[in-house]
Amino acid sequence: MRAIGIGLIGWGTVGCGVIQTLRDNAEAIENRLGIPLKLLKVADLDLDRPRPVDVPRELLTTRVEDIMNDPDIHIVVELMGGLGAAKTFIKQALENKKYVVTANKALLAHDGNELFEVARRNGRSIGFEASVGGGIPIIKSLREGLAGNRIDTLFGILNGTANYILTRMTEGGLSFGDALREAQAKGYAEADPALDIEGTDTAHKLAIASAISFGTPIQFDSVYTEGISGIAPLDVQFGEEFGYCLKLLAIARNTDGRIEMRVHPTFIPRDHILAGVSGAYNAVHIHGNSVGNIMLYGMGAGMLPTGSAVVADLMDIARDILANTPERIAPLAFLPERLSLIPIKPISDISTCYYFRFSAVDRPGVLSKISGILGANEISISAVIQKGRQTEGSVPIVMVTHEAVEANVRKALKEIDELNVVLAPTQTIRIENQETTHRD
């Protein structure tokens, strides 16, 4: 074998990053592998639009079959995204006895369990480092670097778009809409940003990382998800007064035989290690029973960071091909027959601290009514801020609670929001303090 042949499906931003990385680092790659990685075909439906990285015309095709049927192509890289056609092409590649690399976190979150089984039946493997955290080696760290640990906690910032928006709302005082438009202008947000701002993209990544961490099949449908589109500058400001910074957090824990998986806006202390992760950067904090607390930080997206992760997978698979050891490491770290379907802890059972902002009528006795309902539902108040009138007829009453059970919080807020002195639904943001996010 003179080279490992690569076929690329999807000549977009990440595809350009892969091609550029293969070119820029060809000598280092060959020195590490002892054999070159050679790009043989690039398939895309649109071959004419301008791109930042050019490809020789003879390598271009609009026919995926030209990749699938080429015996010199050993690894197929799927970078087209989406669920339907991408799944079909990955299955076809595996059934044609080709290895696969993908950055498609949505597809893996929905259908990864099935695709990993197809790979196993065909004696091949799927590399997917770029699907979680872009250029940050989260998958490799969980599957290999931390393989000797029992992972009990994983949480972090896994979406650069949302983090950029919240950073600008915090540091620049922007509204959500203005921060989103700025993110789009800078290329950090898509024209349709729904997957990012509503938390779905983060939930895809959390489902994959949690499965690897805890030894369970991917359970995306069980991830509780809230986005950031309902966050107002007023809440960011009040959070700062309490000493908090707002982030869209992915949180996973394995405790008492149940897994907690949730994505939502979260207040964290200003001195928390994640509070300093700003702009489009990502970071993930992991606790293992032997290693303790570690954090991985870097660019979670982008042409070259994501391209770097794809090429790392290509190199790992190339080593397996050369050693004739397909699927040397199980896709979800645990042997498939040792994966167990661990029950998911419903959001109603979680216990954490809360931030509430009530829009109330400006009259005596309102605060006592609200606090009375909270107390009756076993919710203890830690701190209160009451400002002067902000809009005609209402004043904001802002509270931070001690730890409370979510089911009790929902019951109490339903009763409070039905009071004739409360003029709008209560804004609720969960809080993670140092003691709940760190284990020693």
Side-chain angles (χ1 to χ4, degrees):
M1 184 180 290
R2 295 182 178 179
I4 301 291
I6 309 298
L8 181 63
I9 305 174
W11 187 21
T13 299
V14 178
C16 287
V18 172
I19 295 165
Q20 188 70 54
T21 302
L22 288 172
R23 287 177 183 169
D24 289 350
N25 303 329
E27 184 178 356
I29 290 168
E30 185 171 354
N31 286 340
R32 287 170 172 146
L33 291 178
I35 192 171
L37 296 178
K38 188 174 181 181
L39 184 65
L40 298 181
K41 284 281 190 301
V42 176
D44 199 284
L45 290 176
D46 181 359
L47 301 179
D48 298 318
R49 67 181 173 86
R51 289 161 168 98
V53 178
D54 291 328
V55 174
R57 197 74 191 182
E58 64 270 18
L59 300 188
L60 297 174
T61 180
T62 58
R63 291 166 38 86
V64 171
E65 291 82 1
D66 292 341
I67 289 176
M68 298 298 178
N69 298 329
D70 188 336
D72 292 328
I73 290 178
H74 306 96
I75 310 174
V76 174
V77 182
E78 181 277 307
L79 296 175
M80 60 185 292
L83 302 181
K87 179 180 178 181
T88 298
F89 293 151
I90 288 176
K91 290 178 72 173
Q92 185 180 353
L94 294 168
E95 287 162 356
N96 284 13
K97 308 303 180 185
K98 298 184 187 298
Y99 294 82
V100 169
V101 173
T102 182
N104 195 334
K105 81 279 291 186
L107 177 59
L108 292 177
H110 286 276
D111 295 314
N113 298 320
E114 177 188 349
L115 292 173
F116 294 144
E117 175 58 22
V118 174
R120 189 193 65 78
R121 286 201 310 266
N122 287 279
R124 294 297 181 261
S125 60
I126 301 173
F128 55 101
E129 181 65 62
S131 67
V132 181
I136 310 171
I138 295 172
I139 302 298
K140 196 170 188 70
S141 297
L142 290 171
R143 293 204 312 176
E144 298 181 50
L146 300 175
N149 285 259
R150 291 194 309 275
I151 306 297
D152 54 47
T153 306
L154 179 146
F155 63 91
I157 299 161
L158 292 176
N159 184 274
T161 301
N163 200 49
Y164 181 86
I165 291 170
L166 292 177
T167 298
R168 295 296 292 134
M169 291 180 71
T170 301
E171 297 178 357
L174 273 64
S175 68
F176 173 82
D178 287 344
L180 172 58
R181 283 186 286 274
E182 184 178 290
Q184 289 170 322
K186 289 180 176 289
Y188 294 138
E190 302 288 343
D192 180 1
L195 286 176
D196 295 317
I197 64 174
E198 298 306 335
T200 308
D201 175 80
T202 301
H204 289 150
K205 297 168 183 175
L206 183 64
I208 296 166
S210 298
I212 297 169
S213 298
F214 307 139
T216 189
I218 297 170
Q219 301 185 65
F220 167 69
D221 290 342
S222 297
V223 181
Y224 176 82
T225 308
E226 287 180 16
I228 63 169
S229 57
I231 298 297
L234 191 61
D235 299 309
V236 175
Q237 294 162 16
F238 277 126
E240 288 184 310
E241 290 193 44
F242 285 117
Y244 291 119
C245 173
L246 188 62
K247 298 292 182 183
L248 180 67
L249 279 196
I251 301 169
R253 294 191 178 93
N254 186 7
T255 55
D256 302 323
R258 294 194 297 174
I259 295 174
E260 183 180 319
M261 291 192 295
R262 48 192 170 103
V263 172
H264 50 68
T266 310
F267 277 127
I268 56 176
R270 269 201 303 264
D271 61 352
H272 193 284
I273 192 168
L274 290 178
V277 179
S278 61
Y281 279 83
N282 285 193
V284 62
H285 182 284
I286 302 164
H287 182 269
N289 70 318
S290 295
V291 74
N293 293 306
I294 69 166
M295 190 173 88
L296 302 168
Y297 167 87
M299 287 300 294
M303 185 177 93
L304 289 174
T306 309
S308 166
V310 171
V311 171
D313 274 342
L314 290 173
M315 293 175 70
D316 273 351
I317 290 174
R319 292 186 181 103
D320 291 345
I321 291 171
L322 294 170
N324 194 27
T325 56
E327 203 172 76
R328 179 176 52 87
I329 300 171
L332 298 179
F334 292 70
L335 294 173
E337 64 272 17
R338 298 295 182 91
L339 293 173
S340 58
L341 194 62
I342 304 173
I344 303 300
K345 188 175 187 177
I347 191 69
S348 59
D349 287 359
I350 73 145
S351 181
T352 191
C353 303
Y354 293 84
Y355 160 99
F356 301 138
R357 175 170 56 84
F358 305 98
S359 294
V361 173
D362 187 11
R363 70 172 64 154
V366 172
L367 179 58
S368 63
K369 277 188 178 181
I370 291 172
S371 58
I373 293 172
L374 293 174
N377 285 278
E378 301 180 359
I379 302 164
S380 172
I381 300 168
S382 171
V384 179
I385 295 175
Q386 187 166 359
K387 297 283 188 179
R389 184 176 296 176
Q390 303 287 311
T391 58
E392 185 64 31
S394 70
V395 295
I397 300 173
V398 183
M399 296 180 181
V400 168
T401 76
H402 294 290
E403 274 200 38
V405 177
E406 176 97 9
N408 292 344
V409 167
R410 294 188 178 197
K411 182 173 179 289
L413 293 184
K414 183 177 185 299
E415 187 176 346
I416 289 169
D417 286 348
E418 290 173 352
L419 294 174
N420 60 7
V421 293
V422 174
L423 304 180
T426 301
Q427 174 68 288
T428 306
I429 299 174
R430 297 170 189 85
I431 300 170
E432 291 285 321
N433 290 309
Q434 296 284 5
E435 60 269 20
T436 57
T437 57
H438 283 77
R439 293 172 180 265
D440 296 312

